[in-house]
Every structure is written in structure tokens, then in C-alpha cells.
Amino acid sequence: MDIIEQRVGVPPHIAGPAATFAFFAFFLIKKMGLFTNTNHFPVEGKTILITGASEGMGLAAAILLAKKGASLILVSRNVGRLEEALVKVTAAARSPSKQRFTYISADVSEPNYAESVIAQAIAWNAGAAPDIVWCIAGLSSPMLWADPANDSIAATRRNMDVNFFGSAEMSRAILKEWLAPENKPKDTGVIGQKPEPKHIVFTASMLALFAIVGYGPYTPSKWALRGLADTLNMELRMYPDHPVKIHVVYPGTITSPGLERENKTKPQITLELEKEEPAESPETVAERALKGLEKGQYNVTVSTLGDLMRCGILGGSERNNWVWDTVVGWVVPVIYFFVIRIMNAQVAGWARVNGHPHVKKAAA
């Protein structure tokens, strides 16, 4: 070391700490995944079940996974749209002779729907359960919570049935299969190498990281998914011989038929607050989500803003990277100090200009 220091002209008292700093900097960068190409979410040759697969993000994800060599089971209510989706997904297959595709019509809001879907999936898949389940089915019913013209409680129950219970029931049904003692994965035959894990992917929303006015019926269902995911992430450590990974994806506004439907009831103040947020295509969101899954991320965001919001609300949740997430988590509250005040002022200012929401509707 002394010879090298003399040749480059670096004093010993500087070279030592500098080398140490460089080592730890390299270590942190490597831990952040910048120098590794390991795919933690391989899909080629796997069978994947996707709910909400007939349109929007669900269909985009299915097509992307087909291009990567996966076999797909598409789940949604509308048979007509499922048949159209099946044609598109089949056409995207990477290896048509090896991949298989089918659909199952089901309403994810119906109690006990998931066990029947999983049973049909297993029967189609030669007696084997899907390797990956991605719950994307969802809806949003924006409205002002306290407006007497709205039945916000009924809307909340509907959102919970689709967004939370639809995913919760599916996760329980597939875990009962995966964790059954008789379904223990086969030993890889390689010392120290564990079997590839199964994956459950929940789809939440950026609104599960930062709530805004107008989404009272919707946001709680997505926050509930975060709580379920965190709980399962800990519980599944009780089954080391049946490895299962949990993930939560947090998309923002997506240009889809679902957005068109929710905009019909969305309050004007909500539209005002959202006007600066660019809507992303389903294909863009699906691609970014898959990249996060391939990196092995637990909480998967699809934008820089979403990642900042994720770090600002982690609490006891799993970290994607403990150092990075912690440092950013220290910074985000400072940003929120200004953001929350600005948004609250926007809401108050809107009310001053437009008047009491109830009075305005009554006058109309």
C-alpha cells in the first residue's frame, strides 16, 4: 500500500480512509443492484395466474409475461373481453410450441371465488398449481366521503370486496396449495441451493402511500393490502421448506378503461390536485413493475415520485435496500412538510372559490 501511495502521490493518512470509503461505497452500490443482473423473478417456463387480465394493466402484464416465455391463466368477469385478451396474449408468446394459455371467468368480489379458480387452474395445468399469482383486478369509486348525495359507505364496501378481499381470498387459496406438506418443492440436488420460490404479487396504488381528497372509498382497500402483505411476509417464514415471496406493486394513474370509468364520478377538487401527475400507459406500468420484481423488490414502485413516497411511509415494512430506504426516509418528511401544506391550502382555496360542496349541489 505504501509503495502505491508514493507512486500516485497520495499521503498515507488520506489513502487509507479513502480506500475504506471506496470499498464501502462499492458495497452499497452493489447492494442496490447496480452491478448485478440476477433475476429474482424468472418467468420462462412458469405458469402464472393473473386476475384483472382482460384489460388495462392486467392485460399489459399478461402480454409482457407471454413475451418472456410464461404460460398464462387469465382471470376476469367478462368472457367476451377474456376471449379477446386470450388472442392477444397467445399472439405474443415467445415459444408458442411450449407455452399454454387459457382463461377462467370469475368475479373476484364474490365470497369464496378463489378456491374454485385455483381448482380449475390446477386441473388445466396437469395437476400443478400456478407458480406465480399476480392480483391486479381492481376498481376505484372516487367521491367526497361526507357528501349526502353519495353513498360512500356502499362504495367503500364494493371497493373492499374487489380490491382487498379479491386479492386476500386468492392469496389464501393459493397458499393452501403451495404450503400443503405434500406439495413440498423437490430438492434441487445442489448443496446450499434452495428451490425457486413461488410468488404472490399484490397490486396496491400510490394512494396507499399518500392519500388525497376524493378517494375515501378506494384508498382504505389499498392500505389494507399493504397490511396483509406485511403480515404474510413475516408469516411465510414459518415455512422455510416451501419458499414463497410476497410483493406489492404501487402504480399511479394508468390510462385505461378503469380510469375513464372513475373519472365519471371523480370530484373536481380531486381532478385539480391530480392534473400535474402524468398518466402512464398500462404497458409502461407493467414493464416497470416487472423490472422491480426481477430485482427482487418487496415494495415495487413505477416512478421516482412513487419511490420517494414509498420510503416516506415504510414503518415496519420490508425494505428493498435498508441503507438507501432509510436515508431517503429521513429526507421525505422534510419534503412532506411543504407538500402537505400546499395541498391543504389548495383544498381550502378551492372551497373558498367554489363554495360548500353540499350547497353547490343543492343549488344546481
Side-chain angles (χ1 to χ4, degrees), residues 202-222:
F202 294 119
T203 305
S205 164
M206 282 175 61
L207 289 169
L209 305 173
F210 188 96
I212 65 173
V213 61
Y215 286 105
Y218 173 76
T219 297
S221 66
K222 296 300 187 177

Side-chain angles (χ1 to χ4, degrees), residues 51 68 81 162 167-168 170 172 204-205 227 245 268 325 357 364:
T51 68
K68 289 182 173 285
R81 286 203 295 266
V162 175
S167 297
M170 178 55 72
R172 177 170 165 76
S205 164
K245 295 292 185 181
Q268 286 299 314
D325 291 354

Side-chain angles (χ1 to χ4, degrees), residues 109-139:
S109 68
E110 290 293 326
N112 304 315
Y113 87 94
E115 290 195 2
S116 173
V117 169
I118 292 300
Q120 293 178 64
I122 292 173
W124 175 81
N125 198 38
D131 302 291
I132 298 169
V133 169
W134 192 341
C135 298
I136 301 181
L139 64 82

Side-chain angles (χ1 to χ4, degrees), residues 225-243:
L225 275 180
R226 286 182 53 218
L228 176 61
D230 283 359
T231 304
L232 293 181
N233 187 52
M234 182 178 290
E235 179 179 334
L236 289 171
R237 283 162 170 74
M238 298 175 65
Y239 307 91
D241 295 331
H242 299 71

